[in-house]
Amino acid sequence: MKSKKHILILDDDIDIIKFLVKVLENAGYAAHYATSLEDFNSQLKEIGPHLLIIDFKLGQTTSTGIHLIEKLKKSSSYRSIPTFLISGSLNKKIITMATQLGADEFIAKPIQTNIFLQKIKKSLKLHELPEIIFDIPKTIKCQSSGDIAQISESTLRIKGPVKFAEGVELKIQSSFLEHLGCQVCRYHTQTSDRVLGPGLYLNEIRMIGVKEETTKKIRLIKATIKNK
Amino acid sequence: MTEIILVQIDADLEDIVPSFLENRKKDLVQIENFLKEKDWEHIESIAHKLAGNAGSYGFNDLGEIGVKLEEACQQAQFEEIKKYCDQYSQYMDNVKVEYK
């Protein structure tokens, strides 16, 4: 079974958002929404959506949506996400400008549901990555960033984009851990991986070979936090 | 006698239409205040949204009122603004929804 495609909407009109969410969910997509740029940016990182729908006019300011599209299309992380501009005042000038800045498709308000869904389906298909089947090698090396969410004398919890299997050996580069004197530690993943959201996992990692001096420093951190 | 405006809406939208209509009534309260203050900019903003969202839900005539009200605000034509605000209010008083 194929997993649902995630679509993130940015619009300041809650009634249009409710409408789009309803239409998209009825069509089998996972719809997410934001009513502010700040919320949009945060969800963009957390969800890793397959498609974006951005309103041309946010609040009283015109063309905010276009500037956002321009920014996204300049970003190496987000430029490949198909991005739709939605507007109640689409005209040739806006379409030309948005096309030059990288918008992939345009949706005029009022929204014609059938046309809207056809465009979504077509764009997602066009941007679909080819299915690659390969023999899984015994080891895969990968590098990614993550945040240390929790630390104790023997375990770490790291929030990041990779879900590890049990017992995987990790190499962790962290100035925080270096400061605690963990250069000599080895790190092995444990079983309790938790999915925090699409593309975001909490990995529990066992620390092996922790020196007494390091455990003291960790306890001191905890005591300081408790006392605050 | 006032005629009922019967609008057929897609049954898939049944659970979101009541809140949509409630929000339009709230808009009308705001518009009344903005009219007193001759604040065309805020009425235009409400009308712009109305022009886009009403037709999407299937309230096409209401969406048209939104388009005309937005244009009237852009040209600061008081009589026209008042006329379309009244039409908006009458529409909301008389609309009845039937889900198909």
Side-chain angles (χ1 to χ4, degrees):
Chain A
M1 197 180 82
K2 280 195 169 181
S3 60
K4 282 186 177 182
K5 301 281 186 192
H6 293 262
I7 297 175
L8 178 59
I9 305 156
L10 173 63
D11 201 307
D12 61 349
D13 180 352
I14 195 66
D15 290 302
I16 274 292
I17 285 176
K18 281 184 187 171
F19 173 80
L20 290 172
V21 167
K22 184 60 119 177
V23 166
L24 290 169
E25 287 186 346
N26 283 348
Y29 299 107
H32 310 262
Y33 68 87
T35 53
S36 68
L37 265 178
E38 195 185 12
D39 190 17
F40 174 83
N41 287 330
S42 134
Q43 291 203 54
L44 183 63
K45 279 180 199 159
E46 287 207 9
I47 297 163
H50 298 87
L51 191 140
L52 302 169
I53 298 171
I54 294 170
D55 187 30
F56 173 68
K57 188 177 176 181
L58 297 166
Q60 299 284 61
T61 323
T62 52
S63 73
T64 318
I66 286 192
H67 293 139
L68 177 61
I69 290 175
E70 181 183 20
K71 200 174 141 196
L72 291 169
K73 292 298 174 182
K74 281 181 180 168
S75 152
S76 58
S77 307
Y78 304 121
R79 72 162 66 105
S80 61
I81 304 175
T83 305
F84 286 22
L85 184 72
I86 188 168
S87 174
S89 46
L90 274 184
N91 57 40
K92 207 176 166 184
K93 195 179 157 193
I94 294 173
I95 291 177
T96 308
M97 181 164 55
T99 307
Q100 284 168 354
L101 296 174
D104 296 272
E105 194 52 87
F106 303 91
I107 303 291
K109 292 179 190 172
I111 297 157
Q112 305 294 314
T113 309
N114 290 343
I115 298 170
F116 169 66
L117 288 175
Q118 276 170 17
K119 287 185 175 183
I120 296 270
K121 193 176 170 185
K122 192 178 158 192
S123 189
L124 284 171
K125 200 170 179 182
L126 199 69
H127 288 81
E128 200 165 39
L129 293 170
E131 195 175 344
I132 302 167
I133 299 169
F134 55 91
D135 292 330
I136 299 171
K138 283 181 183 170
T139 57
I140 298 174
K141 280 187 181 176
C142 78
Q143 194 173 343
S144 90
S145 59
D147 295 323
I148 297 174
Q150 203 177 337
I151 187 165
S152 73
E153 287 90 332
S154 60
T155 53
L156 273 176
R157 285 209 171 105
I158 296 188
K159 201 163 65 170
V162 181
K163 185 181 181 184
F164 293 103
E166 184 187 351
V168 171
E169 182 163 1
L170 302 178
K171 283 182 181 163
I172 301 178
Q173 280 185 334
S174 156
S175 54
F176 171 67
L177 293 176
E178 272 177 32
H179 174 73
L180 294 174
C182 292
Q183 293 91 325
V184 294
C185 295
R186 286 178 292 123
Y187 304 97
H188 281 235
T189 55
Q190 302 203 125
T191 50
S192 59
D193 294 344
R194 226 164 22 100
V195 180
L196 298 175
L200 192 65
Y201 305 95
L202 188 68
N203 291 287
E204 190 164 300
I205 293 150
R206 192 154 49 95
M207 298 162 72
I208 301 163
V210 184
K211 286 185 173 175
E212 182 54 32
E213 197 182 328
T214 300
T215 58
K216 272 183 196 166
K217 283 183 180 173
I218 293 170
R219 282 198 294 273
L220 272 173
I221 295 171
K222 289 189 149 188
T224 312
I225 292 168
K226 271 182 188 173
N227 288 334
K228 273 186 179 172
Chain B
M1 200 178 108
T2 321
E3 276 188 36
I4 285 172
I5 304 165
L6 188 65
V7 184
Q8 287 197 326
I9 302 283
D10 193 330
D12 285 346
L13 304 178
E14 193 168 353
D15 57 337
I16 57 170
V17 166
S19 67
F20 170 79
L21 292 173
E22 274 307 306
N23 287 339
R24 300 297 67 77
K25 284 177 187 167
K26 286 178 192 166
D27 280 352
L28 277 172
V29 174
Q30 282 195 304
I31 281 179
E32 209 165 301
N33 292 328
F34 292 140
L35 269 175
K36 283 177 199 161
E37 295 161 14
K38 297 196 173 178
D39 185 346
W40 313 144
E41 203 178 327
H42 278 99
I43 298 177
E44 186 190 337
S45 175
I46 291 172
H48 177 79
K49 286 183 180 172
L50 182 68
N53 60 29
S56 304
Y57 277 74
F59 298 97
N60 299 332
D61 292 343
L62 184 59
E64 279 304 311
I65 294 172
V67 172
K68 287 172 184 164
L69 180 56
E70 187 183 6
E71 284 169 4
C73 289
Q74 283 163 355
Q75 289 155 20
Q77 295 172 327
F78 178 72
E79 289 306 318
E80 292 288 292
I81 293 170
K82 185 78 180 59
K83 183 173 102 183
Y84 293 120
C85 286
D86 288 344
Q87 281 187 16
Y88 184 2
S89 178
Q90 279 163 21
Y91 185 98
M92 293 307 299
D93 286 342
N94 299 312
V95 68
K96 290 278 176 286
V97 178
E98 188 179 87
Y99 296 101
K100 55 177 181 182

